[in-house]
Amino acid sequence: MEVRKFVEAEHLFEKVLFVPVSSTVEVRRIQEKIASSLQFEFPETEEMQRAQRLCSRLTQEKNIFIILDDVWENLDFGRIGIPSSEHHKGCKILITSRSEAVCTLMDCQRKIYLPILTDEEAWTLFQNKALISDATSDTLKEIGRLISNECKGLPVAIAAVACSLKGKAETEWRVALNKLRHSKPINIERGLTDPYKCLQLSYD
């Protein structure tokens, strides 16, 4: 979202589209999101026909920037209806992913690595999401710090856990800290274990 705000503020492209993808790729949903952003509807019901219409519509845009957010697997742009750079040089794509392997599979021209947050950045984000203020008890702040540390500097994990604890009693914060310290998820892709634990906690 921050990239989108920057691009729009700098007027680098005539149109900027933000399209959430997530772990389950639903081509029709992605097509609908792009079409909605361009303010048109599909008369077709078949996926391939929709892809052709979407591609035709996107090539009409002189200068467009599409952000595909939270990509977990290789995406087939042709199946969706996103034109290749060969067919439309004015269409630029940015994907965000937790997996470098996805970027490699998709032949990304350039990879930009985002480091994890520092302890202080993580704590600031946690405080904002959990609504911790000067009036919050020192004990709760101390527990919050420990919970924040367990999130390992990952913004998605910090935001999920902090939001789930907002307004809760101290005992629930202690239970959360204990769960984060002792949970051991299995069969989770390497590198995703920490966010998984945090997201599982917020879901529970």
Side-chain angles (χ1 to χ4, degrees):
M1 288 300 289
E2 293 304 317
V3 173
R4 178 181 182 176
K5 290 175 187 174
F6 172 78
V7 172
E8 288 176 335
E10 295 295 315
H11 304 291
L12 301 175
F13 293 86
E14 292 175 1
K15 278 195 172 63
V16 180
L17 310 185
F18 182 82
V19 185
V21 177
S22 76
S23 57
T24 304
V25 176
E26 298 176 24
V27 172
R28 291 180 67 89
R29 182 180 58 78
I30 295 170
Q31 290 174 331
E32 289 289 350
K33 179 64 179 176
I34 296 173
S36 174
S37 298
L38 294 171
Q39 299 180 333
F40 86 94
E41 296 180 357
F42 293 105
E44 301 88 356
T45 56
E46 292 296 323
E47 185 181 284
M48 188 51 67
Q49 292 176 330
R50 289 158 60 102
Q52 290 171 350
R53 180 172 294 275
L54 184 58
C55 185
S56 175
R57 177 65 182 82
L58 286 170
T59 52
Q60 292 174 22
E61 298 294 332
K62 182 180 177 182
N63 203 8
I64 188 167
F65 187 61
I66 303 174
I67 302 170
L68 299 170
D69 185 50
D70 198 19
V71 177
W72 288 63
E73 61 184 79
N74 187 22
L75 290 180
D76 184 343
F77 286 172
R79 185 180 166 201
I80 295 169
I82 299 173
S84 68
S85 57
E86 295 176 7
H87 293 97
H88 186 23
K89 297 191 182 301
C91 181
K92 303 299 181 186
I93 311 292
L94 170 72
I95 70 165
T96 68
S97 178
R98 296 175 173 86
S99 170
E100 184 178 358
V102 168
C103 299
T104 302
L105 279 171
M106 295 186 68
D107 295 323
C108 293
Q109 293 176 350
R110 184 181 174 194
K111 299 175 187 175
I112 302 171
Y113 298 92
L114 297 180
I116 61 174
L117 302 180
T118 65
D119 289 346
E120 283 310 307
E121 288 171 336
W123 176 232
T124 298
L125 176 60
F126 188 93
Q127 289 180 93
N128 290 338
K129 296 296 183 180
L131 298 184
I132 293 177
S133 65
D134 292 338
T136 304
S137 71
D138 290 341
T139 303
L140 207 59
K141 288 178 183 176
E142 289 174 14
I143 299 170
R145 271 273 192 188
L146 295 172
I147 292 172
S148 177
N149 291 342
E150 288 295 324
C151 293
K152 311 299 183 189
L154 299 164
V156 66
I158 295 164
V161 172
C163 287
S164 70
L165 292 173
K166 182 171 54 183
K168 300 287 177 65
E170 180 184 316
T171 52
E172 294 190 58
W173 286 53
R174 291 187 183 279
V175 168
L177 176 59
N178 188 55
K179 282 187 176 180
L180 285 173
R181 282 177 167 170
H182 297 98
S183 60
K184 293 182 175 61
I186 57 173
N187 297 327
I188 303 299
E189 183 181 339
R190 190 176 66 182
L192 295 179
T193 300
D194 290 323
Y196 174 87
K197 290 193 297 185
C198 296
L199 293 172
Q200 182 186 41
L201 171 66
S202 69
Y203 175 81
D204 292 341

